[in-house]
């Protein structure tokens, strides 16, 4: 159990939702939104973490190939032919990003691609910690400075697969929000569109002075520009590349 869980375990009853066992709120299709303001969590830094791992079924399928490797040991050094609909292991690089619109009309994006890492204490009050290309335990994290929430009109946090095999349905990805107070908020990227390359995960909107987090989990087959059109952001997009590791 993480330190955060210990810190807030005793206060679970102070909030109008959440799991007593895990001190978390899961946003689902049946319950898609939660108010940060009503949770008393509309201040401080909101931490948004993306993590992913291969589904255990894929790993188990690989383990069942062990007997074949005993008969054909050279197969150990032969890479799999990777297709999104097969059961082979997939190399996936998930990136976390955030489109923002401030109350002064300024718009933009925070994302690893292009090095748009943002700023926490100045506009857009959104900061990306870095780029995790390998699905490590820490994943990728975005911070939102909610001490300036009155300057934020709306945010759209999204995830996309950078230049790799589309395989959202096999990455077991989920996004967790850690407010400054109260239970964490969990959103699973339960994909049913294997060929999708991008997913709008959740939005944050300033609705008459109240900060509302809404589950989106909408998959598209394109990249950020398609998400932009879906949500009417109106940004100009171009093809970007990462530096090689």
């Amino acid at each position: 159990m993480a330190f955060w869980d210990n810190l807030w375990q005793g206060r679970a009853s102070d909030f109008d939702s959440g799991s007593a066992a895990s001190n978390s709120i899961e946003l689902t299709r049946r319950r898609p939104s939660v108010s940060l303001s009503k949770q008393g969590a509309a201040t401080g830094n909101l931490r948004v973490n993306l993590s992913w791992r291969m589904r255990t079924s894929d790993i188990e399928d690989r383990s069942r190939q062990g007997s074949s490797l005993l008969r054909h040991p050279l197969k150990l050094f032969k890479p799999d032919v990777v297709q999104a609909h097969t059961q082979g292991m997939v190399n996936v690089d998930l990136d976390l990003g955030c489109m923002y619109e401030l109350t002064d009309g300024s718009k933009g994006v925070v994302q690893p691609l292009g090095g748009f890492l943002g700023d926490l204490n100045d506009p857009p009050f959104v900061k990306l910690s870095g780029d995790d290309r390998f699905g490590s335990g820490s994943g990728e994290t975005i911070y939102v400075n909610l001490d300036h929430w009155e300057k934020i009109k709306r945010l759209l946090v999204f995830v996309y697969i950078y230049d790799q095999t589309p395989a959202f349905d096999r990455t077991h990805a989920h996004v967790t929000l850690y407010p400054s107070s109260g239970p964490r908020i969990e959103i699973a990227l339960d994909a049913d569109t294997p060929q999708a390359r991008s997913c709008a995960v959740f939005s944050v909107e300033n609705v008459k002075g109240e900060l509302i987090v809404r589950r989106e989990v909408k998959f598209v087959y394109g990249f950020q520009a398609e998400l932009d059109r879906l949500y009417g952001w109106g940004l100009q997009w171009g093809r970007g590349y990462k530096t090689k590791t």
Side-chain angles (χ1 to χ4, degrees):
M1 182 177 290
F3 170 77
W4 182 272
D5 299 330
N6 289 327
L7 182 63
W8 293 107
Q9 187 174 18
R11 293 190 57 184
S13 60
D14 293 347
F15 302 92
D16 61 4
S17 59
S19 165
S22 62
N23 193 24
S24 67
I25 299 170
E26 182 180 3
L27 295 187
T28 64
R29 293 176 182 176
R30 300 184 67 177
R31 188 189 178 181
S33 64
V34 64
S35 169
L36 291 180
S37 301
K38 290 181 178 179
Q39 303 282 58
T43 59
N45 290 335
L46 172 66
R47 179 163 61 98
V48 180
N49 179 256
L50 163 70
S51 60
W52 73 93
R53 60 181 173 82
M54 294 306 299
R55 290 186 182 275
T56 55
S57 60
D58 291 344
I59 298 172
E60 289 166 359
D61 287 340
R62 172 59 65 90
S63 68
R64 284 195 287 268
Q65 297 174 9
S67 59
S68 175
L69 290 175
L70 291 177
R71 294 192 299 271
H72 307 284
L74 292 180
K75 285 186 176 181
L76 180 64
F77 303 100
K78 184 178 180 181
D80 289 333
V81 177
V82 177
Q83 296 178 356
H85 61 276
T86 69
Q87 290 299 311
M89 297 293 284
V90 175
N91 180 24
V92 178
D93 178 12
L94 297 186
D95 280 347
L96 182 66
C98 178
M99 295 184 205
Y100 63 84
E101 182 178 0
L102 305 183
T103 54
D104 66 2
S106 58
K107 301 177 183 179
V109 65
V110 173
Q111 63 178 19
L113 197 60
F116 298 106
L117 301 183
D119 195 293
L120 194 60
N121 297 310
D122 291 303
F125 311 110
V126 179
K127 175 74 174 178
L128 179 68
S129 64
D131 181 14
D132 172 23
R133 303 191 185 187
F134 307 104
S136 67
S138 59
E140 293 189 4
T141 301
I142 281 178
Y143 296 89
V144 182
N145 188 346
L146 294 183
D147 287 337
H148 296 275
W149 64 267
E150 74 282 355
K151 300 175 183 177
I152 298 173
K153 181 178 180 180
R154 60 173 178 158
L155 305 174
L156 179 69
V157 173
F158 60 91
V159 174
Y160 61 97
I161 297 177
Y162 172 77
D163 200 26
Q164 295 287 355
T165 303
F168 266 116
D169 60 326
R170 294 170 51 203
T171 56
H172 233 358
H174 67 276
V175 170
T176 306
L177 290 72
Y178 297 90
S180 61
S181 62
R184 64 181 183 270
I185 302 167
E186 305 273 1
I187 304 174
L189 275 61
D190 43 357
D192 54 5
T193 50
Q195 297 297 322
R197 286 194 172 274
S198 304
C199 176
V201 182
F202 71 91
S203 60
V204 180
E205 283 198 79
N206 187 337
V207 181
K208 297 181 179 180
E210 184 177 357
L211 280 183
I212 306 295
V213 174
R214 176 171 294 276
R215 176 190 182 274
E216 303 291 340
V217 190
K218 294 180 180 178
F219 291 89
V220 298
Y221 295 97
F223 291 97
Q224 294 91 319
E226 190 168 342
L227 292 175
D228 184 315
R229 288 192 294 270
L230 184 63
Y231 286 90
W233 232 266
L235 301 177
Q236 297 296 319
W237 299 91
R239 179 65 174 169
Y241 300 92
K242 291 185 182 182
T243 57
K244 293 183 178 180
T245 54

